[in-house]
Amino acid sequence: MAEDLQKQNQINIELSEEVAEGEYANLAMIAHSSSEFVIDFIRLMPGLPKAKVKSRIVITPEHAKRLLAALADNVKKFESSFGEIKQSQDTPSFPMNFGGTVGEA
């Protein structure tokens, strides 16, 4: 019976070759409204005046909180295996505003 319930709760996830290759991003800009979070993953190249949004993900506040917890858990596991992740004090300053509350990651 437990096995039947487990099979019922399984999700079949498809990953295309194109998506599996991934996109490199070295900046994330986050905006939110009362009903959604918008996360733009950006590739910023040194010396270039423009940065390109490589992917935009829109999620619900509940999923944003789940993502936060999953990232925190994975960073903790990573650091226990490979040591503390060093953070640079150099924070890039951008005149980007999406018209709402904005955070950087």
Side-chain angles (χ1 to χ4, degrees):
M1 177 119 158
E3 192 175 308
D4 290 337
L5 193 58
Q6 189 178 18
K7 282 183 182 178
Q8 236 178 1
N9 291 333
Q10 287 183 346
I11 298 173
N12 196 3
I13 297 173
E14 185 177 312
L15 181 63
S16 70
E17 262 187 65
E18 182 184 353
V19 173
E21 288 178 17
E23 280 287 350
Y24 177 76
N26 53 7
L27 178 69
M29 300 292 290
I30 304 167
H32 67 272
S33 70
S34 61
S35 60
E36 62 195 18
F37 278 73
V38 178
I39 308 167
D40 285 337
F41 292 94
I42 300 162
R43 183 179 306 159
L44 176 66
M45 300 306 287
L48 295 180
K50 278 188 175 180
K52 250 191 168 173
V53 173
K54 301 307 287 182
S55 184
R56 171 173 279 185
I57 305 298
V58 181
I59 58 178
T60 65
E62 181 182 356
H63 285 113
K65 198 162 190 176
R66 286 183 186 164
L67 176 61
L68 176 64
L71 280 171
D73 182 53
N74 277 270
V75 167
K76 184 178 173 183
K77 289 174 182 175
F78 178 94
E79 288 184 328
S80 70
S81 295
F82 303 105
E84 183 182 349
I85 299 170
K86 304 288 186 229
Q87 287 187 279
S88 170
Q89 296 304 321
D90 300 334
T91 306
S93 58
F94 298 96
M96 297 181 191
N97 191 335
F98 296 101
T101 304
V102 176
E104 291 180 15

